[in-house]
Amino acid sequence: MIKAILIFNNHGKPRLSKFYEHYTEDTEQQIIRETFHLVSKRDENVCNFLEGGLLIGGSENKLIYRHYATLYFVFCVDSSESELGILDLIQVFVETLDKCFENVCELDLIFHMDKVHNILAEMVMGGMVLETNMSEISTQAEAHSKMEKSEAGIAGAPARAVSAVKNMNLPEMPKNINIGDISIKVPNLSSFK
Amino acid sequence: MSDVVEKTLTALPGLFDSQTGAAKITNRLRQLVKSITELTSKHEEENLIKQELCAMKEQVSSPNTSMKQMREIMVRAMYCEMLGYDASFTYIHAIKLAQQGGVLEKRVGYLAVSLFLNEGHELLLLLVNTVLKDLQSTNLIEACMALTVVAQVFPKDMIPAVLPLVEDKLSHPKEIIRRKAVLALYKFYLIAPNQVQHIHGKFRKALSDRDPGVMASSLHIYLQLIRESPDSYKDLTGSFVTILKQVLGGKLPVDFNYHSVPAPWLQIQLLRILSLLGKEDQSTSELMYEVLDESLRRAEMNHNITYAILYECVKAVYTIHPKVELLEKAARCIGNFVLSPKINLKYLGLKALTYVVQHDAKLALQHQMTIIECLDHSDFTIKRETLELLFRITNAQNVTVIVEKMLDFLRGCNDEHTIIHLVGKVSELAEKFAPDNSWFIQTMNCVFSIGGDLLQQDVPNNFLRLLAEGSESKEEDDQLRLYAVESYLTVLKGHTSHLPQCFLQVMSWVLGEYAHLQGSVDRREVIRLLTQLLDQRSVSSETRVWILSALTKIPEGQTDLILHLAERLSSSQDTVLRQQAQELLHLSQDSQLHEWVLPRGAPWDAIEVDSSLSFLDGFVSEALAAGAAPYKPPHQRQEELCEDRALNLEPYSFSLPVSLSSCSITDRQSPTLLSVSSGLSGNSTELSQKAGSSTLILEGVKRVWGKDGYLPQKEATAPLVDEPSAAVQPPVQQEAAERTEPRPELSTRNQDKQQLASSLFVGLGVGSSVSLLGRSEAPPPRFRKKPRPHESSSSGTSEKSSGSSCRSSHHTTDIFLYGSFLEEEPATSKSAFDHTPKSTTANGLSQNKDTKEDKHANTSQIFGGDMVIVRPSTIQDKHPPSESSDLTALLPADLKDLPHSDVISLTSDPSLSLSSCRLFRDEALLLLIFISNCTETVIKDVAVQLTCEELKTASLRGNIVDCLEARSTSVCHYALLMDDPHTNVSFTGTVSYQTQPGHTNTLPFSGTLSTADFIRPLVLTTEEYGKLWLSLSHDVKQNLKLLTDAGDPLRTTLNALKDALQLHVVDIIGSEGIVACRLLSGAPCLLHCRVSGAALVMWLRSPHPALPDCILYHCQRALAHR
């Protein structure tokens, strides 16, 4: 299970914090500080895994992090998660952010905190990985921005125009992903109630 | 043209930004962030945020604030909260936003709720209706949001409210909803497993969902379920294998690919599930060999995520029942990991090795040079993992080198967590493999001085226990102790100010106990060193207590020093110290008393602890007579404190009415606790009663490999530990040397490494691999603890001791009483189990019969939950199972109409079988014991004796039968009265009989009764109830589970209780019900029940202090077992 997802910049300023287990507010802040402290002093050429600090639960938990330009993305997970799997999950998360924000940067995360949280909610739900498919995540998250635009109404028209122009050059927009007929059959199952 | 478009594009956002709604919303936030980034100090930031929060507060409470503005405020509040500032005033508005806003506002509202509120927050109650509404909404997004918030914050007691709706969502046409519903249910399962018991079938449906995403989500649940009980899901193995096969075969749509690997995360999950299923199960493992092989083969691409799959695969291969080819492939994979230049892979390789060496130590040998390199790696994590690996391969021969490496690492480490973790391992290794006394003591000195006060308390405790209890040979023990004393004296003569408190405590204890062993050192010197410590400012008051008790133990003769010290301390600020100083003074003056209180060299098990504190009985009854308030157990006190709280959202966990923890305190072996509490009990480590957590066992070491395993060299014998390591020339050393020989140009540095390798991996080689594989039979630990005599005897005497201790502490310490009862209960039944088959042999029956009996014992079964009986199969053959029901026909005519329980078998032997039946008479419980003669001969002089410490027993008739005809049954009546309520009571008894004249056989039996057997309905009217209620003094209040499965929860619950406990339901008015009962014809107990949310608030009153607790306990049980 994922216990917490933290994003902070090179100076330790939190940019996003999401806890899937309950900690008091003070502890949460301490965890952020401690994690930053642990992660920031590591070189670039060392591995991306760390055994958790004291606060977040000791040896049961691991910190898995990636460093992108000015930001650290840290996932704190327990032993039931695969290290490399989470490492790639971070990659998926960042790529999705990049897709949704078009060249994501630190400021995007600050000014669109709610949006980032919503994207995250499509990926991880209650500490469990829900979706790892980038286009699926962004489709779900896009539903949000669509609402926002339609809400903007007339004022939003120019924005729609912009996106229309932008889309003009694209050969084909990925529309609703049609999963189609999946031939996964689970034999033996029908015999059970 | 594209240039033009480009330009327009870049210009457009700037033009529109200020106009779009979205931009406006972030405006304030933008300002805030901007001003924060301009600040230079933390203090300024604080001020600014406080200002901002004030402004927000105003805005929030103004009625003119629109929903849109509110949304913007919420985002700002989230930002402030993230920075660590309290914005709790917005919480209620977040809920309001989720309740009233449009979809967009709702979204922000829900998000804010899930960020702000935790599972225990009381405002969550206000959200339930909103969530219910949204779960039913046809709008996909709303439903999604509701599911997300349910999975994030919903607490246990609110789950029943939403459960049916979430369940319905499992058959929703949209897969995204189904998927989220599955995860929400998984979350419910984690919080409250019994509430989703009934939908396990639906999980299976989710597993076979046509959408792979839903199936993938359901794997979360199965992973958890299978981890808890692998055996119940073995039947699904085939399905999981098929799924994995199809995933590998690329049957999934391309959407699921990640870097052209099909659904990697799904594969990882499946591999984990498979490894859990195949663990120690050959037939299941065989099902998955093929797919694992394929997995290993397919995952040979060079991407991060394929390595993730590969790693899981390797782990699975090593977890399940071994197959040689797969193991070879997996070993090769591990090699790739370890040798990889990519540091992440190296880390995983080390982890895999750590996992694998438990099964196959050879692999570590193959990679020894890499491991040595990793030891000096610049990465902290890698180093640590390497040490972990070394820890696993430690044996008696390489222990010094490995421990040295660990200590080196520790000295340069400043991460608290790592220190605690590693120091524990060092001490474990030292205890297990220490080559000699001096090394052991030195290593432990390092452990204490490095670990210091970060150490977990069990490290010093174990160490002291080891010293105190010693091994079989007294001589060796004394040597060890002597060495410890010497080494500590040296340490104390040096600088002591930097030593951690914990180390000082250990030293002072050892000096106090064993300084007398050291003949050459002047006692005065010891006293002087210890007093010196007392004077140091850095020494904590707890340590002072330790030092003082050590001084108390150093024997008489140095009165002048002691007197001086005691005088000085008698004016100390610290009351504990002052008290100890007084004790010290008295003891030093009265050598007889000293000898009596602190017997020198008394064996640790000679001292008995009266954990029931029965010696205080007199004192307590005097105090009570003098008008002192009776003792109330902590939970009762707490409840009384909480009574004013209107809304109690914390569901009470299903617990016994007694806190066991408070009971165990007296049994604790921690020297700290005892010496602090009494000051006299410096010998306390000797008192330890429990086995405690012996660190001598290496956990997780399992023998996976059979004798015919795949290591052909296994026949070689393991080297003995006792042999000096230099004398043993293990083949591996040669092997290592041979392997490196071909390389002629070895730098000296490399040679160093070679040397290190040979010392590290000694004992791991071909010859000695056996000792490593079979850790269980591996060299005996050097410091073996003495077997505890009273542990072995305890099973026999447990009934008695529990009984007597309970009796002696009747009124004063109910709390201990229940505690010990509940703990003893299994032991009692077990002991009955144990000696039943033996009883006949004791009386000189033929040996032949004896062996037969033993065989029968294997077929013993557990009947009726509360009784354990041993029933030889021969008897079972002669008597069909319906036997016991026939016995009810034997009830005397005058008793036939009384309500009675089922007939339960108590015990039996080849000639007699005993069953019992409880009859509920108003004023007493009648216990009928049916004695059936199973033989074809007459049995004479049958006499039944029944004892029960807690109950008044009276034999009515039939306990002596002169002559029991063949195949007949005699009934023996007992009347049992319960004056003081106990949650459970056990009775024991024996039947003696003669099959042949002069040969008396005895057959012991035992059973348990619960308070429920002694509860009788109390019939009264509502008015009488009201009057009685006011006159009663002792009350207890607690929340119970409400049975919600039927239409009227209150009535159902009360009926359930009535059935289980023979209560009388006086009246039910609306959501309240009143119930009455009594203890036989004695003390009444009134129950007042009120429905509050999903719980039943129960308020009990009775004139008897312990009765409500008992009844409550049984109510909880009755409801929990429904």
Side-chain angles (χ1 to χ4, degrees):
Chain A
M1 196 186 138
I2 299 171
K3 305 275 166 150
I5 293 172
L6 307 171
I7 305 177
F8 39 72
N9 69 5
N10 288 347
H11 306 290
K13 279 258 170 249
R15 289 304 175 221
L16 177 122
S17 68
K18 176 86 184 168
F19 290 87
Y20 294 99
E21 256 188 10
H22 173 53
Y23 301 96
T24 62
E25 210 140 292
D26 284 340
T27 324
E28 286 184 2
Q29 290 302 317
Q30 274 172 19
I31 288 174
I32 296 177
R33 271 199 297 276
E34 192 190 24
T35 314
F36 171 69
H37 185 71
L38 283 172
V39 165
S40 63
K41 65 179 180 196
R42 289 176 66 78
D43 295 334
E44 284 296 320
N45 60 345
V46 296
C47 67
N48 302 50
F49 317 119
L50 260 182
E51 206 129 299
L54 274 182
L55 286 168
I56 202 128
S59 51
E60 259 298 287
N61 292 337
K62 284 169 291 198
L63 299 176
I64 294 163
Y65 73 98
R66 266 180 188 269
H67 191 192
Y68 293 93
T70 60
L71 290 175
Y72 284 100
F73 286 71
V74 186
F75 277 45
C76 177
V77 301
D78 68 7
S79 52
S80 67
E81 298 286 342
S82 146
E83 288 95 342
L84 287 178
I86 293 289
L87 206 57
D88 270 48
L89 193 69
I90 302 180
Q91 183 66 29
V92 169
F93 182 36
V94 174
E95 277 181 40
T96 314
L97 287 178
D98 202 51
K99 208 165 168 183
C100 292
F101 287 111
E102 293 163 23
N103 281 330
V104 68
C105 70
E106 195 180 335
L107 281 179
D108 287 321
L109 298 194
I110 306 172
F111 294 128
H112 303 282
M113 229 176 89
D114 47 338
K115 200 173 164 188
V116 179
H117 270 293
N118 287 331
I119 293 173
L120 192 58
E122 295 304 328
M123 264 181 75
V124 179
M125 183 173 156
M128 268 81 63
V129 180
L130 171 72
E131 178 62 77
T132 49
N133 184 354
M134 232 176 284
S135 51
E136 184 70 23
I137 300 169
S138 47
T139 331
Q140 292 297 333
E142 222 94 284
H144 176 233
S145 43
K146 257 184 222 148
M147 279 190 303
E148 207 159 279
K149 276 171 199 155
S150 64
E151 187 222 30
I154 298 163
R160 279 205 293 279
V162 173
S163 62
V165 175
K166 272 184 180 173
N167 294 339
M168 216 164 57
N169 292 343
L170 289 171
E172 199 186 1
M173 268 291 278
K175 298 211 180 64
N176 251 358
I177 282 101
N178 182 17
I179 297 176
D181 186 32
I182 291 123
S183 54
I184 287 222
K185 280 181 217 111
V186 188
N188 300 338
L189 269 185
S190 49
S191 56
F192 298 104
K193 1 163 214 156
Chain B
M1 135 132 186
S2 62
D3 275 358
V4 181
V5 175
E6 209 74 70
K7 266 187 194 164
T8 334
L9 274 179
T10 43
L12 271 174
L15 273 170
F16 297 128
D17 240 3
S18 52
Q19 292 159 19
T20 53
K24 245 187 208 159
I25 281 173
T26 51
N27 250 354
R28 282 298 296 267
L29 181 67
R30 185 157 293 185
Q31 273 171 19
L32 174 66
V33 174
K34 215 169 165 190
S35 30
I36 287 179
T37 41
E38 278 162 9
L39 297 176
T40 48
S41 73
K42 182 84 188 158
H43 183 67
E44 277 175 353
E45 181 193 292
E46 222 164 89
N47 282 340
L48 185 84
I49 301 257
K50 274 194 185 132
Q51 266 174 28
E52 185 71 26
L53 285 173
C54 281
M56 273 159 58
K57 213 175 214 166
E58 229 164 75
Q59 228 177 331
V60 155
S61 46
S62 131
N64 300 328
T65 315
S66 72
M67 278 293 166
K68 215 158 90 185
Q69 280 166 317
M70 201 59 108
R71 200 170 94 202
E72 181 259 350
I73 292 171
M74 255 342 122
V75 178
R76 268 191 290 157
M78 284 189 243
Y79 187 74
C80 294
E81 283 259 322
M82 184 180 70
L83 292 180
Y85 297 91
D86 175 55
S88 48
F89 61 91
T90 53
Y91 293 178
I92 183 74
H93 296 282
I95 290 177
K96 238 162 78 184
L97 205 62
Q99 216 159 43
Q100 299 162 354
V103 179
L104 215 47
E105 282 83 23
K106 234 182 214 322
R107 189 151 186 160
V108 176
Y110 272 131
L111 179 61
V113 166
S114 71
L115 283 175
F116 293 159
L117 304 184
N118 58 59
E119 287 173 5
H121 205 285
E122 46 193 16
L123 283 180
L124 271 184
L125 266 187
L126 301 176
L127 197 70
V128 177
N129 267 331
T130 318
V131 169
L132 284 178
K133 204 180 75 201
D134 285 337
L135 277 178
Q136 285 159 310
S137 158
T138 49
N139 187 335
L140 216 61
I141 294 171
E142 281 180 353
C144 273
M145 288 188 296
L147 282 172
T148 310
V149 88
V150 159
Q152 171 82 13
V153 293
F154 261 46
K156 205 173 178 176
D157 50 351
M158 276 156 66
I159 291 175
V162 291
L163 187 59
L165 284 175
V166 177
E167 236 180 292
D168 285 348
K169 292 281 178 267
L170 283 179
S171 44
H172 198 274
K174 271 288 185 192
E175 73 279 346
I176 180 76
I177 300 275
R178 291 206 299 274
R179 192 186 294 184
K180 289 195 170 180
V182 168
L183 279 191
L185 287 175
Y186 172 54
K187 196 67 196 292
F188 292 169
Y189 175 77
L190 288 181
I191 312 174
N194 43 359
Q195 294 194 14
V196 289
Q197 242 2 296
H198 59 289
I199 42 179
H200 280 204
K202 290 196 177 164
F203 291 156
R204 294 211 176 207
K205 232 177 85 195
L207 183 65
S208 48
D209 197 283
R210 67 195 140 77
D211 180 67
V214 182
M215 184 266 292
S217 314
S218 74
L219 290 185
H220 284 291
I221 299 178
Y222 277 100
L223 189 58
Q224 180 70 23
L225 289 174
I226 291 171
R227 194 177 292 141
E228 282 163 12
S229 69
D231 290 334
S232 345
Y233 297 93
K234 296 276 185 197
D235 52 302
L236 284 175
T237 316
S239 316
F240 290 124
V241 168
T242 322
I243 295 174
L244 185 55
K245 253 184 211 157
Q246 298 192 41
V247 173
L248 282 173
K251 296 276 167 54
L252 285 187
V254 204
D255 289 330
F256 285 88
N257 283 9
Y258 174 78
H259 288 267
S260 63
V261 183
W265 287 279
L266 181 62
Q267 288 192 43
I268 292 173
Q269 288 272 50
L270 283 168
L271 286 168
R272 293 198 158 193
I273 290 179
L274 288 183
S275 73
L276 286 175
L277 283 172
K279 197 174 182 180
E280 287 159 18
D281 182 345
Q282 185 170 1
S283 57
T284 314
S285 298
E286 271 161 10
L287 293 175
M288 52 186 84
Y289 287 148
E290 190 192 337
V291 77
L292 286 178
D293 191 36
E294 178 152 353
S295 234
L296 279 175
R297 200 156 38 80
R298 289 223 178 221
E300 268 170 24
M301 275 181 317
N302 226 354
H303 188 267
N304 198 15
I305 198 74
T306 53
Y307 286 116
I309 299 172
L310 216 51
Y311 175 70
E312 290 307 325
C313 219
V314 167
K315 263 186 103 167
V317 166
Y318 272 96
T319 312
I320 62 170
H321 189 85
K323 188 186 179 195
V324 181
E325 299 115 72
L326 277 182
L327 287 172
E328 275 165 12
K329 281 186 191 169
R332 227 175 303 138
C333 280
I334 294 182
N336 289 343
F337 274 105
V338 176
L339 297 172
S340 165
K342 284 184 186 162
I343 194 101
N344 283 340
L345 298 187
K346 209 184 249 318
Y347 170 80
L348 283 185
L350 286 172
K351 269 196 84 153
L353 266 186
T354 314
Y355 184 75
V356 162
V357 285
Q358 293 168 29
H359 312 311
D360 179 8
K362 269 201 313 182
L363 263 182
L365 275 180
Q366 280 171 21
H367 301 293
Q368 46 180 318
M369 288 317 285
T370 325
I371 295 173
I372 301 284
E373 268 159 32
C374 289
L375 261 186
D376 295 327
H377 202 278
S378 57
D379 188 349
F380 184 77
T381 315
I382 295 272
K383 259 195 214 169
R384 218 187 117 147
E385 201 52 47
T386 316
L387 289 177
E388 185 80 34
L389 171 61
L390 288 181
F391 169 74
R392 301 272 174 177
I393 58 167
T394 309
N395 56 28
Q397 291 158 47
N398 58 15
V399 66
T400 42
V401 192
I402 287 181
V403 165
E404 192 49 48
K405 282 278 158 202
M406 286 180 160
L407 289 176
D408 275 349
F409 176 79
L410 277 172
R411 286 190 192 102
C413 165
N414 50 9
D415 178 44
E416 283 191 9
H417 170 69
T418 315
I419 293 179
I420 297 174
H421 188 74
L422 217 53
V423 152
K425 299 217 145 141
V426 172
S427 69
E428 190 183 326
L429 289 181
E431 241 179 66
K432 205 156 47 173
F433 298 116
D436 56 57
N437 285 339
S438 63
W439 183 87
F440 178 64
I441 297 291
Q442 293 294 354
T443 308
M444 287 315 282
N445 284 357
C446 285
V447 164
F448 288 127
S449 47
I450 293 174
D453 298 319
L454 295 173
L455 272 185
Q456 267 156 359
Q457 195 56 44
D458 61 333
V459 175
N461 281 358
N462 276 337
F463 176 68
L464 291 185
R465 178 139 34 101
L466 202 130
L467 279 184
E469 288 171 13
S471 57
E472 270 94 22
S473 125
K474 182 158 166 35
E475 215 167 285
E476 261 176 48
D477 293 342
D478 279 347
Q479 262 174 14
L480 179 67
R481 291 167 187 159
L482 194 63
Y483 191 85
V485 169
E486 271 169 19
S487 121
Y488 293 156
L489 285 175
T490 332
V491 173
L492 283 183
K493 276 174 194 158
H495 265 291
T496 51
S497 52
H498 63 280
L499 293 175
Q501 302 299 317
C502 147
F503 192 20
L504 291 177
Q505 290 166 8
V506 168
M507 285 197 287
S508 50
W509 188 85
V510 172
L511 288 180
E513 278 302 302
Y514 302 115
H516 66 97
L517 291 175
Q518 172 65 290
S520 61
V521 174
D522 189 5
R523 299 257 163 77
R524 294 184 82 87
E525 179 69 9
V526 179
I527 295 177
R528 194 184 60 78
L529 285 171
L530 286 175
T531 3
Q532 220 172 37
L533 280 184
L534 274 182
D535 294 336
Q536 260 176 36
R537 198 170 296 166
S538 57
V539 172
S540 74
S541 55
E542 195 197 333
T543 314
R544 279 168 214 267
V545 174
W546 281 76
I547 298 171
L548 261 183
S549 26
L551 282 169
T552 319
K553 278 181 279 181
I554 292 177
E556 70 291 345
Q558 317 300 335
T559 332
D560 54 331
L561 278 178
I562 297 291
L563 278 182
H564 180 66
L565 177 72
E567 238 163 70
R568 201 151 51 86
L569 286 176
S570 53
S571 56
S572 158
Q573 294 273 327
D574 192 330
T575 37
V576 180
L577 280 188
R578 224 155 53 216
Q579 184 199 340
Q580 277 207 313
Q582 285 299 326
E583 287 164 4
L584 179 60
L585 197 65
H586 283 291
L587 288 176
S588 66
Q589 281 163 353
D590 187 344
S591 63
Q592 209 173 354
L593 183 67
H594 188 278
E595 186 57 34
W596 189 63
V597 173
L598 298 165
R600 165 74 48 214
W604 59 272
D605 47 351
I607 299 166
E608 271 178 31
V609 176
D610 185 358
S611 63
S612 64
L613 303 181
S614 59
F615 57 91
L616 286 175
D617 277 2
F619 175 75
V620 172
S621 52
E622 246 171 64
L624 282 175
Y631 174 76
K632 283 179 185 166
H635 75 277
Q636 200 178 335
R637 269 176 278 162
Q638 207 140 33
E639 267 155 32
E640 275 167 24
L641 282 177
C642 303
E643 235 158 58
D644 316 330
R645 260 177 70 182
L647 198 61
N648 190 355
L649 287 157
E650 283 286 326
Y652 288 93
S653 56
F654 168 59
S655 66
L656 311 169
V658 234
S659 70
L660 290 172
S661 64
S662 56
C663 169
S664 68
I665 284 174
T666 45
D667 287 338
R668 277 281 276 276
Q669 62 261 47
S670 151
T672 330
L673 272 169
L674 282 171
S675 58
V676 169
S677 61
S678 72
L680 282 180
S681 45
N683 286 3
S684 53
T685 35
E686 297 180 357
L687 305 179
S688 51
Q689 296 202 316
K690 293 185 276 190
S693 58
S694 153
T695 49
L696 292 184
I697 302 148
L698 189 68
E699 88 277 32
V701 180
K702 277 200 183 121
R703 287 201 51 164
V704 172
W705 315 100
K707 278 259 147 60
D708 49 342
Y710 76 105
L711 279 180
Q713 311 90 333
K714 264 175 112 183
E715 285 89 309
T717 50
L720 292 169
V721 207
D722 299 354
E723 284 179 63
S725 55
V728 187
Q729 180 68 346
V732 75
Q733 232 163 329
Q734 293 163 352
E735 203 179 87
E738 275 163 22
R739 193 173 303 149
T740 47
E741 247 170 276
R743 281 182 258 162
E745 68 292 78
L746 278 180
S747 67
T748 46
R749 198 181 138 72
N750 256 4
Q751 264 168 349
D752 283 351
K753 281 188 178 169
Q754 296 290 340
Q755 217 163 14
L756 181 57
S758 58
S759 52
L760 273 179
F761 296 94
V762 69
L764 281 184
V766 192
S768 57
S769 59
V770 170
S771 73
L772 208 110
L773 288 171
R775 264 299 155 84
S776 45
E777 58 191 25
R782 179 178 168 76
F783 302 107
R784 190 187 295 159
K785 281 171 192 158
K786 245 190 230 170
R788 287 142 194 265
H790 90 236
E791 231 165 83
S792 50
S793 65
S794 68
S795 64
T797 56
S798 62
E799 298 161 35
K800 247 186 199 160
S801 64
S802 83
S804 60
S805 73
C806 289
R807 208 159 80 140
S808 53
S809 58
H810 256 359
H811 293 282
T812 51
T813 48
D814 282 334
I815 177 162
F816 294 120
L817 196 143
Y818 297 137
S820 58
F821 250 120
L822 294 161
E823 279 171 350
E824 296 296 349
E825 197 181 344
T828 325
S829 41
K830 199 170 171 190
S831 65
F833 184 100
D834 282 346
H835 46 68
T836 318
K838 285 183 209 137
S839 56
T840 43
T841 64
N843 293 291
L845 282 180
S846 66
Q847 189 64 36
N848 207 358
K849 208 166 191 175
D850 188 6
T851 47
K852 206 172 171 188
E853 285 274 320
D854 279 346
K855 263 184 230 152
H856 292 328
N858 296 335
T859 62
S860 60
Q861 292 163 344
I862 295 172
F863 282 99
D866 55 344
M867 311 274 174
V868 176
I869 66 146
V870 179
R871 184 194 269 188
S873 51
T874 43
I875 291 198
Q876 220 162 12
D877 296 340
K878 284 178 201 160
H879 289 262
S882 62
E883 162 218 34
S884 52
S885 55
D886 293 335
L887 288 171
T888 47
L890 290 167
L891 288 175
D894 53 327
L895 298 175
K896 269 213 168 105
D897 300 333
L898 283 178
H900 62 83
S901 71
D902 295 339
V903 177
I904 314 165
S905 291
L906 282 178
T907 181
S908 60
D909 70 2
S911 19
L912 281 185
S913 83
L914 260 61
S915 333
S916 76
C917 173
R918 288 159 289 156
L919 271 78
F920 308 108
R921 269 232 301 257
D922 271 352
E923 74 291 346
L925 177 75
L926 289 188
L927 186 70
L928 266 57
I929 297 175
F930 301 97
I931 311 158
S932 308
N933 184 352
C934 316
T935 61
E936 303 297 339
T937 53
V938 178
I939 294 179
K940 297 212 164 177
D941 290 333
V942 181
V944 183
Q945 235 182 359
L946 182 87
T947 48
C948 180
E949 302 274 358
E950 293 81 20
L951 301 175
K952 279 188 193 158
T953 53
S955 163
L956 298 181
R957 59 181 171 221
N959 66 329
I960 293 178
V961 185
D962 289 339
C963 177
L964 190 60
E965 294 294 331
R967 300 256 157 240
S968 69
T969 300
S970 149
V971 186
C972 155
H973 297 229
Y974 277 95
L976 304 177
L977 294 172
M978 184 187 257
D979 286 341
D980 292 317
H982 305 280
T983 40
N984 283 306
V985 185
S986 58
F987 61 85
T988 56
T990 50
V991 187
S992 60
Y993 61 93
Q994 292 188 350
T995 40
Q996 299 156 11
H999 281 277
T1000 309
N1001 296 333
T1002 50
L1003 177 64
F1005 63 90
S1006 67
T1008 50
L1009 300 167
S1010 82
T1011 331
D1013 297 329
F1014 297 91
I1015 300 294
R1016 301 286 176 269
L1018 176 63
V1019 183
L1020 33 63
T1021 64
T1022 314
E1023 288 77 39
E1024 285 166 343
Y1025 182 97
K1027 259 185 220 158
L1028 192 56
W1029 178 265
L1030 291 174
S1031 68
L1032 299 181
S1033 52
H1034 297 276
D1035 63 352
V1036 173
K1037 210 170 183 181
Q1038 189 150 0
N1039 287 18
L1040 295 181
K1041 196 178 96 180
L1042 196 60
L1043 299 174
T1044 44
D1045 35 337
D1048 185 350
L1050 179 64
R1051 210 167 276 271
T1052 333
T1053 315
L1054 288 185
N1055 281 338
L1057 290 177
K1058 188 178 148 191
D1059 292 346
L1061 275 164
Q1062 305 200 41
L1063 307 176
H1064 172 67
V1065 180
V1066 181
D1067 208 349
I1068 296 179
I1069 310 157
S1071 65
E1072 295 183 44
I1074 50 177
V1075 180
C1077 65
R1078 65 200 316 177
L1079 186 66
L1080 295 176
S1081 48
C1085 181
L1086 303 183
L1087 294 83
H1088 176 266
C1089 314
R1090 185 168 53 80
V1091 177
S1092 149
L1096 184 70
V1097 182
M1098 191 170 272
W1099 193 353
L1100 298 97
R1101 277 195 175 185
S1102 166
H1104 198 291
L1107 188 57
D1109 274 341
C1110 276
I1111 292 181
L1112 200 54
Y1113 167 72
H1114 285 286
C1115 288
Q1116 276 176 336
R1117 269 189 48 154
L1119 294 179
H1121 290 298
R1122 290 268 306 186

